[in-house]
Amino acid sequence: MSKPCRRPTRAALKELRSEKKRQEKALNAKRRASGQVLHSPTSLPNRCSAFATVGEEREAREDAVSKKTRLLRKELPALLEQLEQIPDPRDPRKRRHKLTALLLYGLLMFVFQFSSRRETNREISRPQFMANLHLLFPEIETLPHADTLFRLLRDIDLDHLEQAHVDLVKRLIRGKSFRRYLINHCYPIAIDGSQKVAGDTLWAEELLQRTVGKEETRHTQYFVYVLEASLAFHNGLVVPLLSEFLEHALGDTEAQKQDCELRGFVRLSDRLKTLFPRLPILLLLDGLYANGPVMQRCLRAHWQFIIVLKDKDLSTVWQEFRALHALKPQAVQRAWGRRRQHFSWVNDIDYAFAANGRQRLKLNLVVCEESWEKIDEQARTVTETSRHAWLSSQPLRQDNVHERCNLGARHRWGIEAGFLVEKHQGYHYEHAFALDWNAMKGYHLLMRLAHVFNTLARFTRQLRNLYQELGVRGAIAFIRNSCAAPWLDPARLRLLLAEPFLLQLE
């Protein structure tokens, strides 16, 4: 008969934690001695308020609000000028608010991260918030009801709204704001899909559908799926760019075929080429896009690409890789942070696809095998390993494999991190805001545009200390609460707002 397992005592657990810390310090010292550069994520400070007096807090709040507002106002003139060109579908006799004021109100709704139309109505209409908002944005003479914005988004042409977003990014590109973060002189753009809304009600004919559940709980579910494109730089800066909604095609002759990511990619890539015809682009794609038609489309558009390749995909490419690598191995080893990496690659692999292999491409495949030490829960040093493989449009060499793989391909996760931010950190990506297809898309586009401004604020040199001290959501809440209470002195704020603002990204 086996003895019952005894739980460790509190003293034993304390000793184990102490031993684990000692082992981690020893391991880090060993890494530094070998020349490894350690990058540890910095946690938010765990201390009491840094303000000693009410005056210090007031000054800090005014400074934060003025810098964030100056960033917004730097781009507002061009943005509002474009929005003013949108045809207004409302009855001229019943208009109380300008179209630009309504859309600016909708943008601020997501900049301040209100969770719903009800919360926006309740909070932003408070007298103090209204007074401060008019001080910061004189374009908003009176605040509308959130339902007024809904009725506008329900009826307007949203192409103009997305064009204003694209032109904002174009101005940033022309201003060389991102030039330090390019990969092989190209702008890295990650494309991936994400579910937005799911439910059991068919509230719009465009909704996709699927069957979920088992046996007696099996039923039809309707959902919204969006293919997103974002600039994803290796310093963590992720800038939303384009959104392509997958829709159930009404009257589709192909037996009402469901829309999918690959069909959406065709539309999105066409729009991307039309909007940025001469921009050097490096597409960062996951394993779904490792197929001939997608890669051929990228090459015809004169885009570079790096695509994740799974072990079970493109078997002929893997076979040729193993055969050629055995004959003429090309490899390099390097250290990256805490990891030891071994890159091996083969260039000019012949890949045939389509019927009878009529279409052919030359591909380049690189495999990265890496290992690193860590201290486990029992205070033992263990070695962890991982393996990655990518298809590259450009040949791999010793002098470019780090840039293309570590700084490019590895940061495709930036768009997925952006999804997590938009879903769980204040933007409410999965909230429809309106059960009308056009209005839902309009709120989504305003949310993505607001995310651009908040991302720029996070990475700009002027607000860096605020975000390091409070975190992203803490900094946004700090600015929002400053506008909601009588912290701001109008005379001093006008002087601060009159100062020029130079966008300098870190």
Side-chain angles (χ1 to χ4, degrees):
M1 185 175 180
S2 61
K3 296 181 180 180
C5 181
R6 297 182 59 184
R7 296 178 61 184
T9 64
R10 182 176 299 178
L13 290 174
K14 184 176 180 180
E15 177 60 28
L16 185 62
R17 286 195 295 268
S18 299
E19 179 62 22
K20 184 179 178 181
K21 289 181 180 179
R22 285 194 294 269
Q23 294 291 341
E24 288 175 343
K25 288 182 179 179
L27 181 59
N28 287 334
K30 179 181 177 181
R31 287 167 174 161
R32 283 190 288 269
S34 63
Q36 293 185 25
V37 180
L38 307 183
H39 298 286
S40 299
T42 56
S43 58
L44 296 180
N46 183 18
R47 58 171 179 256
C48 298
S49 174
F51 306 125
T53 65
V54 174
E56 286 184 11
E57 183 174 0
R58 183 187 303 278
E59 185 176 342
R61 288 181 180 274
E62 290 173 341
D63 183 66
V65 171
S66 67
K67 288 177 178 176
K68 182 68 172 286
T69 304
R70 283 155 57 203
L71 168 63
L72 286 162
R73 294 193 61 82
K74 183 178 185 297
E75 300 295 338
L76 271 185
L79 185 65
L80 293 179
E81 184 178 353
Q82 280 187 276
L83 297 180
E84 199 171 10
Q85 305 305 315
I86 300 177
D88 196 334
R90 297 175 296 166
D91 186 344
R93 297 169 297 177
K94 299 180 180 180
R95 297 176 191 169
R96 292 184 53 196
H97 308 280
K98 292 182 179 179
L99 181 140
T100 52
L102 278 173
L103 293 177
L104 177 57
Y105 165 85
L107 175 65
L108 295 175
M109 169 181 171
F110 291 102
V111 167
F112 289 121
Q113 294 192 340
F114 290 111
S115 62
S116 65
R117 286 156 55 185
R118 284 191 178 92
E119 186 189 15
T120 308
N121 272 334
R122 181 176 64 250
E123 299 297 328
I124 209 168
S125 61
R126 297 181 188 275
Q128 185 63 61
F129 209 129
M130 291 176 62
N132 287 333
L133 208 58
H134 181 66
L135 174 65
L136 301 174
F137 303 98
E139 296 86 355
I140 303 179
E141 299 174 357
T142 58
L143 284 175
H145 193 281
D147 289 352
T148 306
L149 174 62
F150 158 71
R151 288 189 289 270
L152 176 68
L153 294 176
R154 181 189 60 192
D155 299 328
I156 66 170
D157 181 1
L158 296 176
D159 290 343
H160 295 81
L161 181 57
E162 190 163 39
Q163 184 64 50
H165 181 155
V166 170
D167 288 345
L168 167 62
V169 176
K170 285 182 176 180
R171 289 194 293 274
L172 294 172
I173 291 174
R174 285 197 300 269
K176 300 182 180 180
S177 299
F178 310 127
R179 62 181 173 180
R180 289 186 295 171
Y181 317 122
L182 303 187
I183 304 297
N184 196 207
H185 306 292
C186 293
Y187 288 83
I189 296 179
I191 295 178
D192 202 1
S194 180
Q195 178 178 288
K196 182 173 176 66
V197 181
D200 298 336
T201 304
L202 182 64
W203 50 266
E205 291 295 329
E206 294 86 352
L207 292 171
L208 303 180
Q209 67 182 55
R210 62 191 170 204
T211 302
V212 298
K214 296 182 179 179
E215 298 177 358
E216 66 274 3
T217 62
R218 200 169 183 83
H219 64 283
T220 299
Q221 186 182 72
Y222 303 97
F223 65 102
V224 178
Y225 199 85
V226 193
L227 191 62
E228 308 281 16
S230 298
L231 289 161
F233 299 107
H234 58 81
N235 68 329
L237 175 63
V238 180
V239 181
L241 188 58
L242 289 175
S243 298
E244 179 66 37
F245 284 79
L246 307 190
E247 302 182 9
H248 183 76
L250 300 177
D252 190 358
T253 57
E254 298 184 36
Q256 297 291 325
K257 185 181 291 186
Q258 284 267 84
D259 206 353
C260 67
E261 274 197 49
L262 291 177
R263 299 173 80 184
F265 176 80
V266 173
R267 301 193 299 271
L268 182 62
S269 59
D270 287 342
R271 292 170 55 205
L272 191 61
K273 186 62 179 177
T274 301
L275 294 169
F276 299 92
R278 292 182 294 276
L279 186 70
I281 289 174
L282 169 63
L283 286 188
L284 309 178
L285 305 172
D286 65 18
L288 174 67
Y289 300 93
N291 62 71
V294 167
M295 293 185 283
Q296 190 178 59
R297 171 174 284 269
C298 294
L299 294 175
R300 286 176 176 172
H302 304 288
W303 296 334
Q304 296 186 31
F305 62 76
I306 298 180
I307 305 176
V308 174
L309 182 62
K310 300 178 181 178
D311 292 340
K312 296 182 179 180
D313 294 341
L314 305 190
S315 58
T316 59
V317 173
W318 277 115
Q319 290 171 7
E320 190 163 352
F321 170 82
R322 297 186 183 99
L324 294 176
H325 187 64
L327 293 174
K328 186 181 178 181
Q330 299 182 81
V332 66
Q333 295 189 16
R334 59 169 293 117
W336 187 49
R338 291 181 168 88
R339 305 191 176 204
R340 297 183 299 273
Q341 297 181 316
H342 177 82
F343 288 99
S344 54
W345 63 87
V346 172
N347 295 323
D348 294 330
I349 296 176
D350 189 47
Y351 171 56
F353 64 99
N356 300 320
R358 290 179 299 174
Q359 304 287 338
R360 290 183 175 273
L361 294 175
K362 290 291 186 179
L363 301 178
N364 311 286
L365 175 57
V366 57
V367 176
C368 173
E369 296 171 316
E370 55 188 16
S371 62
W372 66 97
E373 284 78 31
K374 62 174 289 188
I375 307 299
D376 67 5
E377 295 302 320
Q378 302 302 318
R380 297 173 302 193
T381 302
V382 296
T383 301
E384 298 281 331
T385 61
S386 65
R387 181 177 178 275
H388 309 274
W390 298 282
L391 292 169
S392 172
S393 59
Q394 301 298 109
L396 283 308
R397 305 182 305 273
Q398 289 191 14
D399 60 350
N400 73 356
V401 68
H402 166 69
E403 182 180 19
R404 293 187 68 80
C405 296
N406 288 335
L407 304 185
R410 291 291 287 267
H411 287 273
R412 188 197 62 82
W413 60 264
I415 191 170
E416 297 179 358
F419 291 155
L420 293 177
V421 167
E422 291 175 345
K423 290 181 179 182
H424 305 296
Q425 297 185 25
Y427 294 98
H428 308 281
Y429 185 101
E430 296 176 298
H431 183 53
F433 286 91
L435 296 183
D436 175 87
W437 186 258
N438 204 67
M440 180 271 298
K441 290 174 63 176
Y443 281 110
H444 182 88
L445 296 178
L446 287 171
M447 179 270 293
R448 296 275 285 176
L449 181 57
H451 193 184
V452 173
F453 282 110
N454 282 341
T455 298
L456 294 176
R458 175 191 170 193
F459 282 88
T460 190
R461 186 171 299 175
Q462 290 88 337
L463 289 164
R464 176 184 56 185
N465 292 337
L466 177 69
Y467 280 83
Q468 289 178 346
E469 175 74 21
L470 302 178
V472 177
R473 297 192 69 182
I476 293 173
F478 183 77
I479 293 172
R480 170 176 158 177
N481 295 336
S482 301
C483 295
W487 286 106
L488 309 180
D489 177 54
R492 184 171 184 273
L493 202 62
R494 289 190 184 96
L495 293 176
L496 293 174
L497 292 175
E499 296 178 4
F501 186 88
L502 178 62
L503 181 65
Q504 295 176 309
L505 298 180
E506 291 291 337

